[in-house]
Amino acid sequence: MKTVSCVPFFSGPIEGSGTDFAVLIVVKVALELFSEVGWVGKADLVVELDSKVVLIWILVPAQRPWKWWPQLVEIDLSLRKIEKVRLELISRASNCLADGLAKDGLSRNSFFKAWW
């Protein structure tokens, strides 16, 4: 498999409760976008997230909150479909672009998606 040189960007309003839920939805959208653009089976995917809690929810089903179970099941299905996914925990400070897109999403009325 090759490394993806195209990078998806997205930003938009996320209704929910708290930062961890927002990170969870961002992971879900990243997996969906990877599939939408046709990269499944053609490239590996690296998802960088800045929430250790969300990473644990994804990797350890017994730690998942029930109220977000449907979103986590969708993430599970996407991970099985894509297969070659690496989840990496990074600090928010080391990913200024993601932080900027998240802040921009607070003022959006609809979702914005782009890639190159």
Side-chain angles (χ1 to χ4, degrees), residues 42-64:
K42 298 176 183 170
D44 296 345
L45 174 64
V46 178
V47 178
E48 297 176 336
L49 57 154
D50 62 2
S51 171
K52 186 175 184 178
V53 171
V54 174
L55 183 60
I56 290 169
W57 291 345
I58 293 169
L59 298 176
V60 185
Q63 298 293 319
R64 295 176 174 178

Side-chain angles (χ1 to χ4, degrees), residues 11 28 33 36-37 43 51 55 62 83 94 102 108 112:
S11 180
K28 181 179 165 292
L33 186 56
E36 284 175 19
V37 298
S51 171
L55 183 60
E83 294 180 5
S94 68
R108 289 188 176 277
F112 161 78

Side-chain angles (χ1 to χ4, degrees), residues 30 62 67 90 92:
K67 66 182 176 179
I90 62 165
R92 182 170 293 148

Side-chain angles (χ1 to χ4, degrees), residues 8-10 28-38 113-115:
F9 295 95
F10 51 90
K28 181 179 165 292
V29 171
L31 296 170
E32 290 169 356
L33 186 56
F34 188 81
S35 294
E36 284 175 19
V37 298
K113 294 180 187 178
W115 58 88

Side-chain angles (χ1 to χ4, degrees), residues 1 9-10 13 15 24 30 34 39-40 56 62 64 72 95-96 98 100 103 113:
M1 292 285 170
F9 295 95
F10 51 90
E15 301 210 9
L24 183 69
F34 188 81
W39 290 336
V40 175
I56 290 169
R64 295 176 174 178
L72 286 154
N95 197 345
C96 298
K103 289 175 183 170
K113 294 180 187 178

